[in-house]
Amino acid sequence: MAKVTIDSIGKTFGTTTVLNNINLEIKDGEFFILLGPSGCGKTTLLRIIAGLWEQTSGRLLIGDRDVSLLSPRERNIAMVFQDYALYPHMTVEGNISFPLRMSKMTAEEIKKRVASVAELLKIGAFLKKKPRDLSGGQRQRVAIGRALVRSPNVLLMDEPLSNLDAKLRTTMRFEIKRIQRETGITVIYVTHDQVEAMTMGDRIAILNDGVVKQCGTPFDIFHKPVDSFVATFTGSPPMNILDTPYIRKQLGIKEDVLVGIRPRTVSISPVSGGAVVEAKHVGTDLLGNELLVHTTVGDEDFVFLAHINDRSAMGDKLKLYIPQENVYIFEKATGKVVRYGLAE
Ligand code: ATP
């Protein structure tokens, strides 16, 4: 187990800068998430940590040791990939024990370690099977088992659940968290899925265009986003960001700023201290027990969530009640947060 220090790491491919001066300190035993849109540099950073790619500038420390120039093997890091990368001709047992056999460990010690990992991952029943005879979720467990069997200091995971269906993803999210808690291993986990990030991470770093936009707990990232990019990257559906003079007027905002409102904080019943905003009803999607209501406010699109029982109250024109404390104000030019809530 170890902390990981990413110290001013940069990466360019030719003239393209993919990572720009990344500084992060991942604590020993932390479940740390790298979250961002496609192409923001998450995988590049993970591969640099693994030692598969070399950074253009900066240093990487594992514990207090500078590993910038060490090979992947010397770093004692393991990585789990999206596509599992199992050896198809080997059994589950063969796949898991492979890294140990390469390290010339005794047969007895190998057996002990495979049994312990199989118990941790609940894969003891299919040790003699080949990967093709397993489901996607079982294969992913085997891939995690193979990564953990060497007792690495750090476990890197690159979108490990994206090939699984929605139900299995939910189960595996929980399982991976359990495994991390039981082993106490430091995990760095790449995803573009904000639900994975919010539910699994102790802390999250949000990347965009090769820079860290914000690093913090899921609570901070959600409730105290530093700018409109971070604000719209968490929560489903994402926060509405409005630039219409009408909404500023209704909320009593004097400055020329962007107004952020999360869809779940809007109500069609009066709330005390809530600003009233008129909206044109455009359409409604039924989401089980909830309604996703599409409207326009001023001339901008605005969505909010309502209870299914509110369906009968949806006329062409809607009165929306917006609690003042739930409004976010962002600078127009930079998107940076000016304040949370309308109170000064
Ligand atoms: P995704 O979620 O789609 O995997 P990502 O955030 O992991 O995206 P990276 O794979 O790290 O992003 O890629 C970041 C940027 O670097 C992309 O614009 C990509 O085109 C570029 N890139 C990656 N590898 C190379 C390479 N070998 N040569 C040139 N550009 C590259």
Side-chain angles (χ1 to χ4, degrees):
M1 314 304 136
K3 69 172 180 178
V4 177
T5 309
I6 297 166
D7 179 14
S8 311
I9 281 193
K11 177 73 180 171
T12 53
F13 289 108
T15 54
T16 312
T17 300
V18 172
L19 295 176
N20 192 355
N21 193 29
I22 305 284
N23 289 289
L24 292 168
E25 180 130 351
I26 295 133
K27 296 175 201 150
D28 184 6
E30 188 168 34
F31 201 115
F32 193 87
I33 306 266
L34 297 172
L35 174 69
S38 184
C40 70
K42 310 180 291 289
T43 298
T44 304
L45 183 56
L46 206 67
R47 287 181 158 264
I48 288 171
I49 299 169
L52 298 170
W53 286 351
E54 204 178 312
Q55 65 272 27
T56 312
S57 54
R59 294 184 314 155
L60 181 82
L61 279 76
I62 297 179
D64 294 322
R65 190 165 70 126
D66 186 342
V67 299
S68 306
L69 301 175
L70 299 186
S71 69
R73 185 165 285 275
E74 291 168 307
R75 295 181 186 201
N76 194 22
I77 280 180
M79 187 150 168
V80 175
F81 299 89
Q82 179 180 342
D83 60 3
Y84 321 129
L86 298 174
Y87 302 111
H89 60 286
M90 288 185 196
T91 60
V92 167
E93 190 170 21
N95 265 285
I96 294 179
S97 61
F98 183 77
L100 302 183
R101 284 185 275 128
M102 293 296 99
S103 71
K104 309 233 172 11
M105 198 174 267
T106 66
E108 198 185 338
E109 177 64 17
I110 291 176
K111 209 167 161 198
K112 223 165 82 187
R113 287 226 194 174
V114 171
S116 146
V117 162
E119 191 188 329
L120 176 73
L121 288 148
K122 303 177 186 158
I123 51 177
F126 41 87
L127 283 176
K128 300 293 175 207
K129 289 192 177 177
K130 295 264 176 70
R132 65 168 176 269
D133 300 322
L134 305 177
S135 69
Q138 290 166 338
R139 282 182 211 171
Q140 192 53 274
R141 280 169 200 263
V142 176
I144 297 169
R146 188 179 57 185
L148 289 177
V149 79
R150 282 193 292 122
S151 305
N153 282 327
V154 182
L155 179 62
L156 308 180
M157 305 184 102
D158 192 1
E159 309 239 8
L161 305 184
S162 46
N163 284 347
L164 305 179
D165 64 46
K167 185 159 175 258
L168 199 50
R169 272 210 301 275
T170 310
T171 318
M172 285 302 288
R173 282 206 301 260
F174 190 73
E175 273 292 274
I176 291 175
K177 272 298 277 184
R178 175 187 67 82
I179 291 159
Q180 190 264 341
R181 264 198 306 268
E182 284 183 20
T183 55
I185 193 168
T186 309
V187 171
I188 306 177
Y189 186 106
V190 159
T191 184
H192 62 264
D193 179 337
Q194 57 101 11
V195 177
E196 268 177 37
M198 299 300 275
T199 54
M200 298 173 87
D202 293 323
R203 279 190 308 150
I204 301 169
I206 299 214
L207 267 70
N208 192 34
D209 288 339
V211 299
V212 176
K213 299 288 266 181
Q214 187 168 0
C215 179
T217 63
F219 186 92
D220 283 346
I221 297 276
F222 188 84
H223 293 282
K224 304 264 174 204
V226 294
D227 63 18
S228 56
F229 174 83
V230 173
T232 51
F233 212 79
T234 61
S236 176
M239 182 185 283
N240 297 285
I241 306 276
L242 298 173
D243 184 20
T244 163
Y246 170 69
I247 196 111
R248 288 192 286 268
K249 180 166 158 270
Q250 290 310 98
L251 294 170
I253 300 167
K254 304 269 182 328
E255 318 107 287
D256 189 17
V257 286
L258 301 174
V259 175
I261 299 165
R262 288 209 185 270
R264 204 172 283 282
T265 58
V266 175
S267 166
I268 61 165
S269 321
V271 288
S272 75
V276 185
V277 170
E278 282 186 4
K280 187 163 166 264
H281 186 197
V282 179
T284 301
D285 298 327
L286 179 60
L287 310 172
N289 251 348
E290 271 182 325
L291 303 173
L292 175 61
V293 188
H294 300 264
T295 70
T296 51
V297 169
D299 54 0
E300 293 187 288
D301 293 340
F302 185 87
V303 296
F304 70 94
L305 290 166
H307 193 270
I308 191 158
N309 295 341
D310 291 334
R311 190 144 53 159
S312 55
M314 297 289 168
D316 285 350
K317 288 207 171 128
L318 297 173
K319 256 193 186 146
L320 308 182
Y321 296 88
I322 299 172
Q324 312 263 345
E325 68 272 18
N326 291 336
V327 174
Y328 292 73
I329 309 292
F330 301 104
E331 229 175 64
K332 225 166 165 174
T334 60
K336 287 208 171 93
V337 76
V338 177
R339 60 184 181 271
Y340 309 104
L342 289 178
E344 296 290 337

